[in-house]
Amino acid sequence: MDIKTLIREIPDFPKPGILFKDITTLLRDADGLRYTIDLLAEKCADLSPDFILGMESRGFIFGAPLAYKLGAGFIPVRKPGKLPAAVHAIDYQLEYGMDRLEVHQDALHPPHSKILIVDDLIATGGTAGATAKLVEKSGCHLVGFAFVIELKDLGGRQHLPKVPIVTLAEY
Ligand code: AMP
């Protein structure tokens, strides 16, 4: 199966000049969704993570079923103000302005927990790089990253720590 055929491209969303990769067409396809999760699981199995860290909100969609398949726990990384208990936070640069991600402090158990970071897409690598810093801050062991889509020309992987990076559809 070629999952690229199930990913829809929407020009000029959310702003002019961005070619948005719409994964809702992949998600609504039963065979495509199962294939995507199974392939992610197959490619990530050797990393043997204890926990999947998924970023709000599309990282949740792929991260939770992947955690289930791998027999790992799932930990949400959220936008500010959403998590109820004490958090580790990281501020990071967007194209215009700053953003912040948070994770529960007691969700990460250093130093032995092995963490795999999962999101739908890597573009500049800002989001995944910031999440990796949260893992570093906690003292846990980052074993890799997994993305359904990689936008290669943006060079995002150069901004990530040197651990394995799994991707399924490259553009
Ligand atoms: P970045 O931090 O630049 O790597 O951007 C990654 C985040 O932004 C991911 O959570 C994506 O869901 C979203 N994103 C960035 N560019 C696109 C795009 N062209 N199409 C869809 N989502 C995107």
Side-chain angles (χ1 to χ4, degrees), residues 18-21 58 119-127 151:
I18 303 287
L19 183 59
F20 191 83
K21 303 283 190 247
R58 279 169 273 157
D119 205 355
D120 67 325
L121 180 149
I122 178 165
T124 64
T127 311
L151 304 185

Side-chain angles (χ1 to χ4, degrees), residues 76-88 101-105:
V77 176
R78 301 213 61 182
K79 303 274 168 62
K82 304 276 190 183
L83 290 169
V87 295
H88 290 303
L101 289 172
E102 296 182 344
V103 67
H104 272 148
Q105 283 177 12

